[in-house]
Amino acid sequence: MTDIPLFVTSLAPYNDRLAEAITRVIPTRRFILGPEVEAFEREFADYLGVRHCVGVANGTDALTIALRALGIKAGDEVVVPSFTFYATAEATIMAGATPVFCDIDLDTFCVTSDTVRAALTPRTKAIVPVHLFGNVAPVPQLREFGLPILEDAAQAAGGELDGIKAGALGDAATFSFFPSKNLPCLGDGGAVTTNDDGIAERVRLLRFHGSKDKSTFTEVGYNSRLDELQAAALRVLLPELDDWNERRRRAASTYERLGLGEHAVLPRPVDGAKHVYHLYVVRANDLPVGRRYYRVPVHRQPAIAATVTLPATEEAARTNVALPMGTHLTEEQIRTVVAACGSGST
Ligand SMILES: Cc1ncc(COP(=O)(O)O)c(C=O)c1O
């Protein structure tokens, strides 16, 4: 065993700048939908290379609202992976639709066009590929189905596929700024991104109770805004994202260089993907370190209980192990983890 934490990331160097940003907002008394949110939305959209970013309260609401903005309604089916965080499917149900679970590619932990194809029915109205663990799902390959694609990019801020940012690949995409994510805020936060003016407008409407002018309510929506304090914090941290992701990628190559591959199957980026290693997840039957994620995949959760056979999902749930990762992981710590894996693997 080692005492190295799973998330080796520190915001300590940014304490002063975060405090300054918050101190700037407090006297303005504008805490909801003000200039900080507007500026962050512009800055994050520019960073991703998309026309629109709309800040919402968290990554789960982002998914529900984006699905509704894409036109998903009761009776529709949406294809989602089962090997993901529960919220991907939960949000689909909250949007009124039925999640239909597809399998993944075991080496990348992401959906493929073959796994999605197997889950399609005449009622399928959208596909939600998840950029799991910071890998980037092969979104362009899913275009062959002619269905709207919503990227769940909660775990992949800054990731890329063939030079295009995760979040700019689908018809819309969703992000979470939960504190453990690659781009964190200081609480809950999320966003929807899109190049489509109509989708962006509907997301803006839905995040404010289905109203454009705060007096006429044309839809039943949500109270789901990114707040000014979180947006101010995100504006401090966004410029650091590329450097942080570079550090994560360096840590991943160090694991490889120090021989972790002798004890476990290492994560493989999707072809053309710039993986951003939100988590560093290997596969092994037995390691004395790390944590297993999604050990009961979503389709077998009590609230869902879907009858479907997903062999790669089951295998991933049984054998995945997340090892320490983060912006401040040292070579020495990586060496310790690799040595621990070597001492206990079967
Ligand atoms: C893949 C995925 N989708 C959605 C979410 C939901 O985000 P949030 O916790 O901000 O609601 C998360 C994160 O927790 C996630 O990892």
Side-chain angles (χ1 to χ4, degrees):
M1 293 296 284
T2 76
D3 54 5
I4 301 165
L6 201 57
F7 294 92
V8 193
T9 292
S10 170
L11 286 187
Y14 309 96
N15 279 353
D16 288 350
R17 288 168 56 201
L18 289 168
E20 250 171 57
I22 286 165
T23 310
R24 179 177 76 235
V25 173
I26 292 171
T28 71
R29 292 291 181 264
R30 288 203 64 182
F31 297 117
I32 305 289
L33 296 184
E36 296 289 339
V37 169
E38 218 170 275
F40 171 71
E41 288 177 341
R42 189 66 270 136
E43 287 158 11
F44 196 44
D46 289 348
Y47 171 82
L48 296 174
V50 291
R51 283 172 61 77
H52 304 280
C53 166
V54 185
V56 295
N58 55 65
T60 309
D61 283 3
L63 283 161
T64 305
I65 291 173
L67 283 167
R68 283 191 58 192
L70 284 167
I72 297 304
K73 53 185 186 334
D76 291 345
E77 290 182 0
V78 175
V79 173
V80 302
S82 171
F83 194 66
T84 177
F85 180 56
Y86 179 66
T88 314
E90 183 185 38
T92 307
I93 296 168
M94 292 305 287
T98 303
V100 175
F101 295 97
C102 71
D103 215 347
I104 50 162
D105 171 61
L106 197 50
D107 292 328
T108 64
F109 297 118
C110 288
V111 306
T112 68
S113 56
D114 286 342
T115 68
V116 168
R117 186 180 298 107
L120 297 176
T121 81
R123 287 180 303 282
T124 311
K125 292 292 167 1
I127 305 165
V128 184
V130 179
H131 301 319
L132 204 70
F133 303 143
N135 210 348
V136 184
V139 175
Q141 290 172 26
L142 308 180
R143 286 291 179 202
E144 63 171 299
F145 304 120
L147 289 162
I149 297 174
L150 175 63
E151 301 166 66
D152 182 342
Q155 300 187 6
E160 290 179 13
L161 189 71
D162 294 326
I164 299 173
K165 286 267 181 346
L169 294 158
D171 296 283
T174 60
F175 288 87
S176 164
F177 306 123
F178 185 81
S180 65
K181 296 292 193 278
N182 288 37
L183 177 60
C185 66
L186 307 178
D188 276 314
V192 178
T193 60
T194 181
N195 278 314
D196 185 303
D197 298 351
I199 292 171
E201 194 181 316
R202 260 182 71 68
V203 172
R204 287 184 195 284
L205 188 85
L206 288 169
R207 80 171 165 180
F208 191 90
H209 305 284
S211 176
K212 248 187 201 162
D213 59 4
K214 303 186 183 172
S215 66
T216 307
F217 298 87
T218 54
E219 300 217 30
V220 175
Y222 307 85
N223 174 5
S224 183
R225 284 87 52 131
L226 180 69
D227 70 61
E228 287 286 290
L229 293 171
Q230 298 304 342
L234 284 162
R235 294 184 68 203
V236 172
L237 300 178
L238 176 59
E240 309 301 323
L241 180 59
D242 283 344
D243 177 49
W244 286 342
N245 283 339
E246 218 32 70
R247 288 160 171 259
R248 289 172 181 276
R249 272 197 293 277
R250 274 204 298 276
S253 351
T254 306
Y255 270 124
E256 212 170 322
R257 176 164 52 79
L258 296 183
L260 182 63
E262 289 164 30
H263 317 301
V265 182
L266 304 187
R268 184 166 71 69
V270 166
D271 287 346
K274 200 168 178 187
H275 199 310
V276 288
Y277 298 102
H278 168 57
L279 289 165
Y280 188 78
V281 183
V282 301
R283 284 185 292 122
N285 283 325
D286 190 17
L287 287 181
V289 284
R291 185 201 298 172
R292 193 139 59 92
Y293 270 74
Y294 316 136
R295 52 181 70 212
V296 178
V298 179
H299 73 282
R300 288 201 282 107
Q301 289 293 337
I304 306 283
T307 315
V308 55
T309 306
L310 303 171
T313 295
E314 297 296 351
E315 179 71 5
R318 194 179 66 74
T319 58
N320 86 84
V321 186
L323 296 176
M325 174 47 75
T327 57
H328 289 70
L329 191 62
T330 65
E331 176 149 343
E332 220 24 65
Q333 288 174 313
I334 295 173
R335 199 179 297 281
T336 306
V337 175
V338 174
C341 289
S343 68
S345 60
T346 51

